Structures are given as C-alpha cells and as structure tokens.
C-alpha cells in the first residue's frame, strides 16, 4: 500500500508513460503503450509498424531480432543492425535470409549464389566450376568454355574470343601454344590470366598468357605472304607485317600504304579494273547509239508508208457493198432504132454503165455485179480482186 500525506488507498502515480497503482506490485505501461523488453521503455507503436508486428513473432524469432537490432535514443525504433546483418522493414536479416524475402525484386542468374558479409545483399557470385560472363549477367560452365577455346589454333583468333587467352607461345622455344579459358589481367592488358578449376582467376605471377597482343603473329617478311594471311596486313611505309584491326593495324600505326587481305600490286589491279570498266562503258554507248539510229530509221519508214488494210479488213468491207445481178434493157427493133452514128453523147455514158471498167468487158445477162459507194458498178470478181490487192 502506498501512503501519501497519511492517506492510503485509491492513489495513482504516473511518470513517463508508466502507471503505479497501490494494488500493483510492479510498474506497467499506460495503454495503448507497450513495454519494449529490450530497452525497458514504454513505446506507443502504431498498428502495422514493424516494431509492433514483431510482438506477433514467436519468442525465439523475436529474441533473434532483439539481439541484432540497434535502437534509437528513445528506445522505441530500430535504426540499424549489428555488423553482418541488413535492416529491412524493421528486422535485421542475413543475406541468405533476406534474398528469399526479396526474390521477386532480386536477380540471381542460374548457377550463381548470393555473397554473404557484403554491405549490399544484391551481390552474387558464380558457383564453383563457373565463371561470370563478359556481359556480367550469367555464369558460364568452365568445362564448356575449355572446349570452346580449344577450337582456336592461332593466337590471333584465340584472344578475340570471349574468356580465352593464348598460353605457351611466349614460353615455348618452338613458338607453339594453346588456347585456354582465361581473361586479361586488366582491361586492354597484354598479360592474360587463366582460370583455376573452381573458376577463380589466377592473378599475379600466374598471368603468363597473351590476352590481346600476340607477339608470335604476323612475322612475314614480304607483302604477298603478309596480305595473304587474313590476320595480317602490310604497311608499305614501314615495310612491316602487322596485325589487322578494324580499319588499320590493330597495334601501332601505318602512315601510308596499308594493305590487308588482298594483292600487293594494288596499282596494277586498279589500272586493269579501270581499263575494263572504260571499255565496257564505251561498248555500251556504241551499242546504244546504233540501236537508237536503227529505231529512228524504222520509225521514219513506217511513218512514210501508209498502212494497208489487212485481207480480213478488205473482206469485211467487200461483204458490206451492194451486190446484184445484171439485167440487160430490151429495146424494140425497127426504123425507130437509132443507128450508131445517130447516138447521142449521153448514150456513151450508158455504154459505160453496161461494161466493166476493170476488165473492159460488157455485162451479160445474170453477171454478178457490185456497186461501190461512189455508185460505180463493176464485175464482182474484178472489183473484189482489185480491192484485196
């Protein structure tokens, strides 16, 4: 019982969120505050906060969180984690615990694993026996990489392949070497380092391979042999054989006369090509002019001669002409019959109408005649033949 000023009974004291009642044996937090067992402070945690959600955890999980967490000066909010742990939504995780929680937002390539003990749990590394690809987004099987590199039999093609270095030619007396998995010691570095059986890069003194520049390549002493090698090119200004790059030597500089993958007699080849092209152009122009002249002459000839109707057109015209049979006029005989000397000049026209002007023969009774649109009459056989000639 608590007695204040001689009074005992229903007296209650409160201080910093704690409430002391005469009927209680210990302090308790005033609702809705909750006692933080780690810091011994009453905290007014809101619903849904990470600290209040932790109260729903089992005692073992909550105890693990309490051991890893760092609290603010008020003792109510987690502000960090002990070394080796990572804060996420008020709870401290290891990388192995956190990444499954964030699986939907974290990228982990096939044959890779998360790196523990790093500040950022998003870092990953390839499993033993695998190496990270050049793109940095996948892991390459080391056994498959060995088979891939072994296909290259020259240093120039080996060092151009991803994850391959050329070893031995700079050590062996005979200049022979082999293409094995590895990479340059540093970007654009001449020294190449091989991979160990686990996929780690053997750096330092073990980097005795060639990664970019191949000293054993392009040792030709003449232009023809050099330019016939697809990995080499000839520099006329220095008279040296050099490795081929994108648009010139891969290493060094050629000021004039760079030739690669072609004939060294470039000037003669160019002259022959130009002569051939010129001859072809002249021949084409001559042929074109001849064809144009011939076509002009033919068009002029066709324009000068009128176009004759075809036999089919003539037959169609003839079939539309008026046809009939000749019937001779019968005049009475006697003194009234005029003599030939008394014939009127118009009788001559009648005579013309009784004879064919084509064959000059007189019409006979029943002859087939044909009349033209000009009203002249002829034998059908005569005028038909004349019209179709």
């Amino acid at each position: 019982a608590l007695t204040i000023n001689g009074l005992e009974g229903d007296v209650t004291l409160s201080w910093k969120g704690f409430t002391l009642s005469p009927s209680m044996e210990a302090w308790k937090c005033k609702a809705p505050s909750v006692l933080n067992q780690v810091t011994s402070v009453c905290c007014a945690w809101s619903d849904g906060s990470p600290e209040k959600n932790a109260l729903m955890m089992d005692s073992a999980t909550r105890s693990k969180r309490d051991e890893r967490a760092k609290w603010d000066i008020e003792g109510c909010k987690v502000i960090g984690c002990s070394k080796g742990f990572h804060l996420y939504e008020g709870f401290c995780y290891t990388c192995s615990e956190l990444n499954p929680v964030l699986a939907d937002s974290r990228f982990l390539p096939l044959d890779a694993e998360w790196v523990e003990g790093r500040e950022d749990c998003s870092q990953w590394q390839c499993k033993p026996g695998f190496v990270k690809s050049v793109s940095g987004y996948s892991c390459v099987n080391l056994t498959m990489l060995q088979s891939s590199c072994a296909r290259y039999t020259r240093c120039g093609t080996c060092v151009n392949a991803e994850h391959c270095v050329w070893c031995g030619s700079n050590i062996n007396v005979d200049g022979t070497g082999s293409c094995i998995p590895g990479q340059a010691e540093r970007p654009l570095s001449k020294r190449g380092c091989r991979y160990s059986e686990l996929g780690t890069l053997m750096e330092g003194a073990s980097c005795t391979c060639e990664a970019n520049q191949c000293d054993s390549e392009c040792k030709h002493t003449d232009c023809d042999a050099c330019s016939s090698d697809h990995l080499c090119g000839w520099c006329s200004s220095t008279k040296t054989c050099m490795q081929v790059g994108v648009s010139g030597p891969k290493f060094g500089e050629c000021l004039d006369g760079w030739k690669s993958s072609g004939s060294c007699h470039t000037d003669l080849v160019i002259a022959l090509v130009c002569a051939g092209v010129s001859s072809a152009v002249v021949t084409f122009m001559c042929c074109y002019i001849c064809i144009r002249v011939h076509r002009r002459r033919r068009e002029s000839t066709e324009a000068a001669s009128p176009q004759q109707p075809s036999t089919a057109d003539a037959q169609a015209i003839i079939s539309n002409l008026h046809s009939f049979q000749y019937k001779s006029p019968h005049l009475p005989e006697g003194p009234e019959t005029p003599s030939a000397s008394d014939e009127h000049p118009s009788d001559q026209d009648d005579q013309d109408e009784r004879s064919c002007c084509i064959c000059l023969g007189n019409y006979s009774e029943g002859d087939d005649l044909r009349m033209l649109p000009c009203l002249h009459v002829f034998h059908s056989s005569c005028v038909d033949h004349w019209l179709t000639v």
Side-chain angles (χ1 to χ4, degrees), residues 155-167:
C155 178
T157 53
C158 174
V159 297
N160 289 331
E162 296 180 355
H163 294 293
C164 295
V165 293
W166 186 260
C167 296

Side-chain angles (χ1 to χ4, degrees), residues 144-153 164 178-181:
M144 296 178 61
L145 195 58
Q146 289 173 345
S147 301
S148 177
C149 294
R151 296 181 302 170
Y152 303 105
T153 57
C164 295
S178 58
C179 191
I180 63 173

Side-chain angles (χ1 to χ4, degrees), residues 137-148:
Y137 293 100
S138 61
C139 294
V140 183
N141 187 292
L142 190 58
T143 303
M144 296 178 61
L145 195 58
Q146 289 173 345
S147 301
S148 177

Side-chain angles (χ1 to χ4, degrees), residues 41-346:
V41 175
C42 289
C43 300
W45 291 323
S46 59
D47 293 339
S49 64
E51 291 80 9
K52 192 163 187 178
N53 291 339
L55 298 176
M56 306 300 295
M57 299 177 181
D58 58 86
S59 57
T61 304
R62 189 168 57 194
S63 176
K64 184 187 295 184
R65 190 205 73 155
D66 294 341
E67 292 174 358
R68 302 172 177 178
K70 291 182 179 181
W71 299 87
D72 63 358
I73 193 170
E74 298 293 334
C76 291
K77 184 175 180 61
V78 177
I79 59 173
C81 298
S82 302
K83 186 177 181 180
F85 300 98
H86 304 273
L87 181 64
Y88 178 74
E89 293 187 353
F91 196 87
C92 296
Y93 296 89
T94 63
C95 287
S96 299
E97 295 171 342
L98 178 60
N99 284 311
V101 177
L102 303 176
D104 294 338
S105 59
R106 292 287 177 91
F107 170 73
L108 182 67
L110 188 66
D111 301 315
E113 58 189 6
W114 297 110
V115 179
E116 292 287 355
R118 301 290 179 90
E119 293 182 1
D120 186 2
C121 281
S122 63
Q123 296 183 13
W124 54 268
Q125 63 186 9
C126 294
K127 294 179 180 179
F130 294 85
V131 295
K132 185 177 290 188
S133 66
V134 175
S135 64
Y137 293 100
S138 61
C139 294
V140 183
N141 187 292
L142 190 58
T143 303
M144 296 178 61
L145 195 58
Q146 289 173 345
S147 301
S148 177
C149 294
R151 296 181 302 170
Y152 303 105
T153 57
R154 293 186 59 177
C155 178
T157 53
C158 174
V159 297
N160 289 331
E162 296 180 355
H163 294 293
C164 295
V165 293
W166 186 260
C167 296
S169 60
N170 54 346
I171 300 175
N172 300 335
V173 177
D174 58 356
T176 59
S178 58
C179 191
I180 63 173
Q183 68 180 47
E185 186 178 23
R186 293 180 305 276
L188 302 179
S189 174
K190 180 179 177 181
R191 286 160 50 96
C193 308
R194 66 184 71 195
Y195 290 119
S196 68
E197 295 181 356
L198 297 178
T200 57
L201 198 63
M202 300 173 63
E203 300 177 337
S206 300
C207 294
T208 58
C209 302
E210 296 179 89
N212 290 295
Q213 183 174 350
C214 296
D215 295 333
S216 60
E217 291 285 4
C218 300
K219 298 298 183 181
H220 308 290
T221 57
D222 61 277
C223 178
D224 290 331
C226 180
S227 60
S228 62
D229 190 337
H230 70 282
L231 297 178
C232 306
W234 181 261
C235 182
S236 300
S237 59
T238 58
K239 297 188 181 303
T240 54
C241 190
M242 309 171 72
Q243 297 180 52
V244 173
V246 177
S247 58
K250 186 175 182 181
F251 302 100
E253 185 178 5
C254 181
L255 299 178
D256 183 39
W258 174 254
K259 300 178 179 67
S260 62
S261 300
S263 174
C264 289
H265 307 289
T266 308
D267 297 337
L268 178 59
V269 172
I270 293 176
L272 293 175
V273 171
C274 291
V277 172
S278 301
S279 299
V281 171
V282 171
T283 304
F284 172 78
M285 292 301 296
C286 291
C287 293
Y288 176 76
I289 293 173
C290 292
I291 292 172
R292 292 291 298 175
V293 171
H294 177 72
R295 182 176 296 175
R296 290 281 181 85
R297 288 179 178 177
R298 187 177 63 184
E299 291 175 352
S300 300
T301 304
E302 292 177 352
S305 59
Q307 187 174 3
Q308 300 295 331
S310 63
T311 303
D313 295 337
Q315 292 294 340
I317 295 173
I318 293 171
S319 62
N320 290 327
L321 296 177
H322 178 59
S323 301
F324 60 94
Q325 290 183 340
Y326 178 76
K327 293 183 180 181
S328 61
H330 297 282
L331 298 176
E333 297 180 358
E336 297 180 0
T337 303
S339 62
S341 59
D342 296 335
E343 289 181 353
H344 192 273
S346 62

Side-chain angles (χ1 to χ4, degrees), residues 17-35:
F18 289 89
T19 300
L20 180 62
S21 173
S23 59
M24 295 177 58
E25 296 180 356
W27 296 96
K28 70 175 182 178
C29 292
K30 188 176 181 180
S33 298
V34 179
L35 179 64

